[in-house]
Amino acid sequence: MFRRPFGYYGYRSPWVEMERLQREMNRLFSDSFSLAGGRTAPNYPAMNVWTNEDGAVVTAELPGINPNDIDISVVGDTLTLSGERQPEALGEGDKYHRRERGCGKFNRAFQLPFKVEADKVDAIFDKGVLHLSLPRAEADKPRKITVKSA
């Protein structure tokens, strides 16, 4: 270990930090162009999930999306949400000064901690937020077992 004018640097190679910076820059640019290039966004839409003994409630932020462009499927304990956000129509001669909202297809799937009654799933879209009620399968609900005395 050696001492530099502003502190100890140890024996860490300066190339390690340069490689980390390069990885971060590659990630930043690949994420920035992923929506415009027609690929799917990895963590879109933002979702919250609550569970209890009776089932799960899922909310997903989907502002600017037509509810008819949302596909929801439940198979066993896996919820899949997919769809597409259409690009905004610009007037003739208009061009973007700043464009932060992405467009394109999205697809998120995750496993719930229990199986769901797929035919009883309820979906409501209100003010850009999708609310899903996913009832737990009867066979998967916890049961209280009474103990009989002999």
Side-chain angles (χ1 to χ4, degrees):
M1 195 159 17
F2 55 93
R3 183 172 169 84
R4 299 278 179 154
F6 300 108
Y8 290 98
Y9 288 93
Y11 48 83
R12 188 173 183 173
S13 170
W15 296 111
V16 171
E17 189 61 25
M18 292 298 290
E19 289 171 354
R20 186 195 66 77
L21 180 61
Q22 183 177 16
R23 282 193 308 270
E24 288 296 317
M25 294 299 286
N26 289 340
R27 184 189 60 78
L28 176 68
F29 285 114
S30 67
D31 289 349
S32 297
F33 296 115
S34 65
L35 291 176
R39 297 186 318 204
T40 58
N43 291 322
Y44 182 83
M47 301 173 93
N48 288 335
V49 180
W50 298 270
T51 62
N52 60 27
E53 289 183 5
D54 297 326
V57 174
V58 176
T59 59
E61 295 179 1
L62 296 165
I65 293 183
N66 184 343
N68 295 329
D69 293 337
I70 302 170
D71 292 321
I72 304 162
S73 69
V74 177
V75 177
D77 59 353
T78 303
L79 170 68
T80 303
L81 182 65
S82 59
E84 184 172 4
R85 176 186 282 167
Q86 302 295 330
E88 295 175 274
L90 297 179
E92 188 173 332
D94 292 344
K95 62 182 180 180
Y96 283 104
H97 171 69
R98 183 178 199 100
R99 186 177 183 188
E100 295 182 352
R101 293 180 57 192
C103 60
K105 294 182 180 180
F106 61 88
N107 185 0
R108 288 203 65 186
F110 58 89
Q111 188 173 15
L112 295 166
F114 45 77
K115 292 183 179 178
V116 173
E117 296 280 347
D119 55 338
K120 295 180 181 175
V121 173
D122 190 30
I124 298 171
F125 190 77
D126 184 34
K127 298 178 184 170
V129 178
L130 178 67
H131 300 263
L132 296 172
S133 296
L134 304 153
R136 190 176 195 158
E138 284 296 326
D140 207 44
K141 285 185 178 179
R143 295 186 181 148
K144 182 171 179 143
I145 299 170
T146 57
V147 178
K148 299 174 186 172
S149 59

